[in-house]
Amino acid sequence: CTGDYCLDQCGGVEAELPAVDSFLYRYYMVGATSDLSTLPNDPKPSSAAAAVFSSGRKSFSLNCYRGYLYSELTGGSTGTSGVTDSYQATAVSGV
């Protein structure tokens, strides 16, 4: 870990970043994603280019999920909100 933000065991950061959005947790894709010259990302990056987490696991994407499944919430599980009080869910048109 370097700097002000360190990824947790899931590959994310729990932090309020009001200048960015109203979410309290973000996942990050880390490590090399391609060789930067051929598409579609072939040849694949070697495992030596992957991020290594404190558990020793190497990964280019998510290691685990934070939060609840919909089935857990509808089954009565409770927890804390993943958004700030200023969050407004808004429908947007697709691409």
Side-chain angles (χ1 to χ4, degrees), residues 3-94:
D4 294 331
Y5 302 102
C6 298
L7 298 182
D8 64 16
Q9 70 274 10
C10 290
V13 172
E14 184 174 351
E16 187 171 341
L17 302 174
V20 177
D21 57 29
S22 297
F23 293 97
L24 297 175
Y25 189 86
R26 292 157 195 81
Y27 294 99
Y28 292 91
M29 301 298 165
V30 294
T33 57
S34 76
D35 63 2
L36 301 178
S37 64
T38 58
L39 293 174
N41 293 347
D42 195 24
K44 305 291 186 224
S46 72
S47 63
V52 180
F53 292 87
S54 60
S55 64
R57 178 183 170 129
K58 291 184 175 186
S59 179
F60 292 100
S61 62
L62 309 180
N63 285 320
C64 57
Y65 294 103
R66 300 266 313 256
Y68 288 101
L69 299 174
Y70 181 74
S71 60
E72 292 172 317
L73 291 173
T74 57
S77 297
T78 60
T80 58
S81 176
V83 296
T84 65
D85 291 337
S86 65
Y87 178 74
Q88 294 272 337
T90 306
V92 295
S93 60

